[in-house]
Amino acid sequence: MVDPATGERLDDGLVLWFPAPHSATGEDVAELHVHGSRAVLSAIMQVLHGLGLRLAEPGEFTRRAFLNGKLDLLQAEAIADLVAAETEAQRRQALRQLDGELGRLYRGWSDRLTRVLAHLEAAIDFPDENLPPETEDRIFGETAALTAEIERHLADGHRGERLRDGIMVAIIGPPNAGKSSLLNRIARRDAVITSPIAGTTRDIVEIAVDLQGYPVVLADTAGLRDSDDIVEQEGLRRALRRAEEAEIRLFVFDARCPDQGQGAAAWPGPDTILVANKVDLLRSSEAAGTAVMPGLDPGIHDAAITSLAAVAEGVGAHGTTPWAEGPRDKPGHDEEGTTEKTLPVSALTGEGMEGLLSALGARVAQTFRIEAPVLTRARHRRALEDAAAGLRRATVAVLPELRAEDLRLALRSLGHITGTVEVEDLLDVIFRDFCIGK
Ligand code: GDP
């Protein structure tokens, strides 16, 4: 590579030329493959600058590809997701979207809606010629079918968005049960301060981990107990809210106090995993033949194991606890079946951690192994909700003109997702999050 002005050699490299329209952006593209040192880069950049070239804006290549019809908006967003993907499941989901799976689904709906609208407009334009009743029925039937399909797609428990942003797992349970210690164990680093004084975790601490290829955000919460301390009360409020919002809960309690496990009854179902922590204390008390802790009954081990089993069976059937109003009812989740059996662990020694992680991983995989294309962004969700609302209005509208207008609005909402209609104002928002060079 040579400076055209001075003839000076800049580097030995490779130049690839992609003529329009066959490049990634659809424009003429030249790629320079050079040695990456700062001196080489700065010399080459200076020469390119002299030729009137500039650095690309973040996401500019993808934006140009979109504007030149090489990608739809969903695929452009998939590139951003692919660049940001941290786990296997996120990578797979982004690739599927890049392949155009979601685009095909939404465009399929748009095409059907366009046909419905065409039939309806024909009826409006030629009012004297009565539409055959079967055409009228077809318009109604297809509108209702589309509404149902979009609504089903929306009622997916936000799985695609969760997979993109991280699956929430809340660690809950009474104070001092070892929630922070367990989080540290799972995260394999000292991210949360553990302390023997009850009520130290007053706010929520989150850690993102890769659990068998799935992005999981673990949240350590304040211990569930009644308190007069205002800060602790606020922590408790947040803990309960987080437990409500989480996809999966690890309910941690002290294995020496199996009755504490009853607290999990507030969140029945397979998405609450019972964890009996500190089993090392049971073992050591057994080995010594005496209680490790003052006042602990030497026979507690057997009694504890028996009642742990009872807890596991009893939860799910039991009613409320002092901390929660009652059984949860979460859409999109399997509420059948009782809570899984109690998993014995020791956050201190690491005993039982493999069993816990594989139970958690299995639960995550069961909920998030996604076969059909799913929604991945709140932006798509809003547009689909608007589309479904338009379709619903259209089915009840009396005047054909109003029905047509509602269908047109629904069609526009679908077009916003793939980028076929008026998206100029959206583009800045979408491409702003890209990194330079994409
Ligand atoms: P949290 O309030 O539920 O978050 O509980 P912490 O994680 O702060 O733990 C409370 C206390 O129990 C600390 O002194 C921990 O060191 C101790 N602890 C936690 N897990 C275990 C365990 O598995 N075995 C033993 N022996 N002690 C534990």
Side-chain angles (χ1 to χ4, degrees):
M1 268 168 222
V2 177
D3 181 342
T6 63
E8 190 193 348
R9 256 182 98 209
L10 302 171
D11 192 16
D12 261 350
L14 173 70
V15 180
L16 292 177
W17 176 245
F18 300 89
H22 303 296
S23 67
T25 60
E27 302 168 353
D28 283 337
V29 173
E31 264 183 27
L32 309 185
H33 293 238
V34 300
H35 294 101
S37 71
R38 204 175 300 172
V40 169
L41 288 185
S42 101
I44 290 178
M45 291 310 294
Q46 218 171 339
V47 169
L48 293 177
H49 186 73
L51 295 173
L53 303 180
R54 63 164 172 83
L55 282 174
E57 306 281 337
E60 188 169 351
F61 288 100
T62 315
R63 185 176 187 141
R64 288 182 183 217
F66 166 71
L67 292 174
N68 292 323
K70 288 276 170 183
L71 302 169
D72 64 25
L73 261 195
L74 288 159
Q75 288 170 312
E77 286 171 330
I79 290 178
D81 288 352
L82 204 51
V83 172
E86 286 181 337
T87 74
E88 280 295 288
Q90 288 173 318
R91 181 184 63 76
R92 278 197 298 269
Q93 172 161 291
L95 261 188
R96 282 172 64 162
Q97 188 168 324
L98 187 58
D99 283 346
E101 197 179 55
L102 267 185
R104 277 192 292 279
L105 178 71
Y106 299 152
R107 268 194 302 277
W109 286 339
S110 292
D111 291 348
R112 282 163 58 190
L113 190 49
T114 308
R115 277 197 296 276
V116 174
L117 194 57
H119 282 299
L120 185 59
E121 279 172 346
I124 296 169
D125 287 346
F126 305 101
D128 296 339
E129 298 169 34
N130 269 345
L131 262 196
E134 58 268 26
T135 308
E136 182 81 355
D137 287 350
R138 193 135 42 90
I139 291 174
F140 257 113
E142 186 68 346
T143 308
L146 273 170
T147 316
E149 276 177 54
I150 295 175
E151 282 174 348
R152 245 197 329 273
H153 182 67
L154 280 166
D156 65 349
H158 297 252
R159 287 182 306 159
E161 291 142 289
R162 291 285 187 269
L163 206 53
R164 199 176 153 260
D165 302 333
I167 299 153
M168 281 292 171
V169 175
I171 304 182
I172 49 174
N176 256 332
K179 297 179 294 299
S180 307
S181 310
L182 191 71
L183 181 68
N184 289 346
R185 253 294 153 195
I186 297 175
R188 293 207 182 81
R189 60 192 155 105
D190 283 339
V192 185
I193 304 155
T194 56
S195 116
I197 305 156
T200 40
T201 311
R202 288 177 164 172
D203 208 333
I204 291 168
V205 181
E206 290 185 341
I207 289 185
V209 294
D210 178 338
L211 190 74
Q212 298 170 20
Y214 290 90
V216 164
V217 180
L218 283 163
D220 182 22
T221 60
L224 303 173
R225 70 159 187 192
D226 293 326
S227 167
D228 295 334
D229 183 319
I230 289 182
V231 182
E232 216 178 292
Q233 279 173 6
E234 174 60 18
L236 177 58
R237 220 171 46 78
R238 292 184 192 186
L240 286 173
R241 198 170 56 220
R242 177 51 58 94
E244 298 290 304
E245 291 166 357
E247 272 76 52
I248 296 171
R249 286 158 288 275
L250 296 181
F251 188 93
V252 184
F253 61 98
D254 190 327
R256 295 167 300 170
C257 318
D259 284 352
Q260 287 184 350
Q262 297 291 354
W267 301 276
D271 289 331
T272 302
I273 298 174
L274 278 169
V275 182
N277 188 33
K278 307 194 187 182
V279 287
D280 58 296
L281 294 180
L282 296 181
R283 304 251 186 287
S284 50
S285 66
E286 201 181 38
T290 60
V292 180
M293 308 274 286
L296 196 70
D297 177 355
I300 192 163
H301 184 239
D302 290 344
I305 294 294
T306 316
S307 31
L308 282 181
V311 168
E313 273 173 25
V315 166
H318 274 71
T320 57
T321 73
W323 313 300
E325 303 281 283
R328 313 294 339 127
D329 180 20
K330 213 166 178 218
H333 283 254
D334 170 21
E335 288 298 326
E336 297 300 312
T338 52
T339 309
E340 304 285 323
K341 67 180 191 324
T342 302
L343 299 169
V345 304
S346 167
L348 187 72
T349 67
E351 184 186 343
M353 289 307 293
E354 263 177 41
L356 171 60
L357 289 180
S358 75
L360 182 58
R363 190 68 214 146
V364 169
Q366 202 175 335
T367 315
F368 289 89
R369 195 181 296 120
I370 295 169
E371 301 302 337
V374 286
L375 269 172
T376 54
R377 285 182 189 240
R379 181 181 84 80
H380 311 163
R381 183 171 292 281
R382 274 195 303 276
L384 286 170
E385 279 167 354
D386 289 348
L391 286 167
R392 276 193 301 269
R393 279 195 310 273
T395 43
V396 294
V398 188
L399 286 176
E401 286 80 2
L402 292 180
R403 253 161 86 194
E405 180 58 17
D406 286 330
L407 292 184
R408 264 193 296 275
L409 288 174
L411 192 58
R412 264 207 12 214
S413 301
L414 285 179
H416 272 134
I417 308 181
T418 49
T420 46
V421 292
E422 299 166 25
V423 285
E424 207 40 56
D425 48 338
L426 260 182
L427 295 187
D428 287 336
V429 179
I430 290 169
F431 289 100
R432 191 177 54 204
D433 298 337
F434 273 78
C435 50
I436 293 172
K438 282 284 164 290

